[in-house]
């Protein structure tokens, strides 16, 4: 049996924080109090703090425009905070998982089924909040992930088990250097030096193996890159289709035919 997560009302920004924000006279004062409540630094010092402050300040302005109560505003900020934490939890693409998580937790605040859900928002308020988050946060999902998550790089190193690269002993290296010096002196003493053609060295087994592994690895990487790009493209298309459906205005179902006036 799958149990839904409980509602996250008044998380991070509780009712006392809402009272402090309600007393602010203008947007600048509200942003200062909000930065203090969220534990953010000066916006000019850190890019992440500035983006976080901008995200929640616009969310508060939206809640005021929708005439949300203090409890509803606190819950809306908590939902947005949980969504943001789910987004930045991994640098990998998880937009579909975050969207499913947000919608499931959002509708837990529209139906009274204690202790798993509570009817904190009305139906039109839920739709308005969902449209706002989709058009603001999910539209810039990749930008939030780029700023708040570390970049992932693949460092690949190969180790050949059972094979060692050919190494010359110190005696062979000394003999090779002496032979090379003698050949250089003989060439300089000749009046008409002839261009010596060095015989091509046959590639060793290690070199052949390395070249084969490198070629096969490059082929696999190309195929993997194509597969990842195809999956990302399909994921973006599915998300775009869902966003398009959500952006369409809500139309009530057609009613039954009215009785004609006599």
């Amino acid at each position: 049996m799958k149990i839904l997560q409980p509602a996250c009302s008044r998380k991070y920004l509780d009712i006392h924080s809402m009272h402090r924000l309600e007393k602010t006279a203008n947007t600048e004062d509200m942003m200062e109090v909000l930065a203090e409540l969220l534990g953010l630094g000066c916006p000019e010092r850190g890019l992440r703090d500035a983006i976080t402050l901008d995200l929640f300040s616009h969310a508060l302005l939206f809640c005021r425009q929708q005439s949300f109560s203090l409890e509803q505003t606190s819950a809306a900020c908590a939902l947005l905070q949980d969504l943001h934490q789910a987004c930045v939890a991994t640098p990998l693409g998880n937009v579909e998982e975050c969207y499913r998580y947000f919608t499931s937790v959002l509708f837990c605040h529209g139906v009274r089924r204690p202790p798993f859900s509570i009817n904190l928002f009305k139906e039109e308020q839920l739709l308005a909040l969902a449209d706002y988050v989709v058009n603001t946060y999910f539209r810039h999902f990749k930008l939030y992930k780029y700023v708040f998550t570390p970049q992932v790089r693949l460092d690949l190193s190969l180790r050949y088990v059972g094979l060692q690269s050919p190494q010359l002993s110190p005696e062979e290296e000394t003999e090779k250097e002496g032979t090379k010096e003698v050949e250089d002196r003989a060439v300089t003493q000749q009046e008409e030096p002839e261009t010596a053609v060095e015989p091509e060295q046959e590639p060793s087994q290690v070199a052949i193996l390395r070249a084969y592994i490198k070629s096969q690895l490059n082929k696999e990487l190309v195929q993997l890159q194509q597969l990842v790009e195809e999956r990302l493209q399909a994921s973006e298309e599915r998300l775009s289709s869902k966003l398009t459906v959500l952006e369409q205005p809500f139309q009530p179902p057609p009613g039954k035919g009215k009785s004609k006036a006599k």
Side-chain angles (χ1 to χ4, degrees), residues 127-128 130-131 134-135 139 240-252:
L127 295 176
D131 291 340
V134 168
N135 292 326
R139 286 293 182 187
S240 300
S241 61
K242 292 180 181 179
L243 295 179
T244 304
V245 173
L246 291 175
E247 289 176 353
Q248 295 178 358
F250 175 75
Q251 296 180 357

Side-chain angles (χ1 to χ4, degrees), residues 15 31 70 72 86 100 113 128 132 173 201 256 261:
I15 193 66
M31 295 183 68
L70 298 182
Q72 290 174 341
R100 288 195 297 266
R113 292 178 181 177
Y132 172 77
E173 291 181 356
Q201 298 181 355
K256 297 182 180 180

Side-chain angles (χ1 to χ4, degrees), residues 5 31 39 75 96 122 125 140 142 162 178 184 193 202 225 235:
Q5 294 183 1
M31 295 183 68
E96 294 186 359
K122 298 180 180 179
Q125 291 175 336
H140 306 89
K142 291 184 178 180
D184 293 340
E202 296 183 357
Q225 184 178 2
S235 177

Side-chain angles (χ1 to χ4, degrees), residues 2-234:
K2 185 177 181 181
I3 301 177
L4 297 177
Q5 294 183 1
C8 53
S9 178
R10 298 184 300 277
K11 185 180 180 181
Y12 304 120
L13 293 177
D14 55 7
I15 193 66
H16 302 288
S17 303
M18 292 295 109
H19 281 295
R20 290 188 57 184
L21 293 170
E22 190 71 16
K23 296 179 181 179
T24 55
N26 49 40
T27 306
E28 295 180 357
D29 296 340
M30 182 193 70
M31 295 183 68
E32 291 181 0
V33 176
L34 183 60
E36 179 184 353
L37 294 173
L38 294 176
L40 303 177
C42 182
E44 289 79 7
R45 296 180 181 177
L47 179 62
R48 295 183 178 181
D49 292 344
I51 295 177
T52 304
L53 183 60
D54 181 80
L55 174 64
F56 283 95
S57 61
H58 282 83
L60 289 175
L61 293 176
F62 166 78
C63 293
R64 290 183 179 181
Q65 292 175 358
Q66 297 294 323
S67 300
F68 283 1
S69 63
L70 298 182
E71 290 80 5
Q72 290 174 341
T73 304
S74 176
C77 293
L79 291 173
L80 188 60
Q81 179 70 10
D82 288 343
L83 172 62
H84 183 64
Q85 292 296 330
C87 170
V88 303
T90 173
L92 304 178
N94 60 341
V95 59
E96 294 186 359
E97 290 79 1
C98 290
Y99 180 77
R100 288 195 297 266
Y101 170 75
F102 170 73
T103 52
S104 62
V105 177
L106 176 64
F107 289 106
C108 284
H109 293 74
V111 180
R112 183 173 179 81
R113 292 178 181 177
F116 306 110
S117 62
I118 183 173
N119 57 340
L120 184 60
F121 296 98
K122 298 180 180 179
E123 181 180 357
E124 57 272 12
Q125 291 175 336
L126 284 177
L127 295 176
L129 183 57
D131 291 340
Y132 172 77
V133 175
V134 168
N135 292 326
T136 56
Y137 194 88
F138 282 101
R139 286 293 182 187
H140 306 89
F141 190 85
K142 291 184 178 180
L143 295 179
Y144 285 110
K145 186 173 289 290
Y146 175 79
V147 174
F148 288 92
T149 58
Q151 296 183 3
V152 179
R153 295 181 179 179
L154 177 62
D155 294 332
L156 184 63
S157 60
L158 299 177
R159 179 177 297 178
Y160 303 95
V161 180
L163 293 177
Q164 296 181 357
S165 58
Q167 297 180 357
L168 298 177
S169 61
E171 298 179 355
E172 293 178 350
E173 291 181 356
T174 305
E175 182 179 357
K176 183 177 180 180
E177 291 178 357
T179 306
K180 185 176 181 181
E181 291 179 359
V182 172
E183 292 178 355
D184 293 340
R185 291 177 184 176
V187 170
T188 53
Q189 291 177 359
Q190 293 180 0
E191 296 180 354
E192 295 180 0
E194 298 179 356
T195 304
V197 179
E198 297 181 357
E200 297 182 357
Q201 298 181 355
E202 296 183 357
S204 60
Q205 296 181 356
V206 177
I208 296 175
L209 180 60
R210 287 180 178 177
Y212 176 76
I213 294 178
K214 186 176 181 180
S215 61
Q216 295 297 323
L217 184 61
N218 291 334
K219 293 180 181 179
E220 294 293 335
L221 290 177
V222 171
Q223 295 178 0
L224 180 61
Q225 184 178 2
Q226 293 178 355
L227 180 60
V228 171
E229 291 178 355
E230 292 176 358
R231 291 187 177 180
L232 289 176
Q233 184 67 24

